[in-house]
Amino acid sequence: MSRPSKPADTSSGQDCRAILRALLREADDQLDYLRGLRIRLLGDRVLQRYAWNIASKLEWTNTYCAEYIAVAQLQADALVTLDPDLAPAAQSFVRVASVEDLLATIA
């Protein structure tokens, strides 16, 4: 039986590790940037709890639309939507505004 031979050039493995370290540093820098933004992530536990409560009260089987209402509620803001089903459902939880209302705030 012969022994497996060592690779002639180990620099390719070192190059891969160096590239991986650089990519991880870049990813970490990007995460730091995102963490600095004043946004709520949809994976937020408080948001999920609010969305489940809203979906339950509306007797919805999932939280997809309820998450939009929950974000507006947690941000103490109005919900702007063109969805004809979401708007009336959201009215008992948050103020629903039109696109025109939104545009009037930036004019």
Side-chain angles (χ1 to χ4, degrees), residues 26-100:
E26 182 181 336
D28 194 43
D29 290 345
Q30 290 176 354
L31 282 173
D32 283 342
Y33 171 76
L34 289 173
R35 289 181 191 119
L37 297 175
R38 296 178 158 238
I39 59 173
R40 293 187 78 99
L41 300 176
L42 288 179
D44 183 293
R45 286 183 180 174
V46 174
L47 173 64
Q48 290 172 344
R49 186 172 57 247
Y50 271 70
W52 274 112
N53 288 338
I54 291 167
S56 176
K57 289 176 183 173
L58 293 171
E59 298 181 352
W60 289 347
T61 58
N62 64 58
T63 63
Y64 182 79
C65 290
E67 288 176 8
Y68 291 99
I69 300 169
V71 167
Q73 196 173 49
L74 288 167
Q75 296 297 327
D77 214 337
L79 176 68
V80 177
T81 181
L82 298 176
D83 185 318
D85 297 323
L86 181 58
Q91 287 178 342
S92 59
F93 299 95
V94 294
R95 185 173 70 86
V96 177
S98 67
V99 173
E100 291 78 19

Side-chain angles (χ1 to χ4, degrees), residues 5-16:
S5 60
K6 288 186 176 180
D9 182 13
T10 58
S11 66
S12 64
Q14 292 170 345
D15 291 344
C16 287

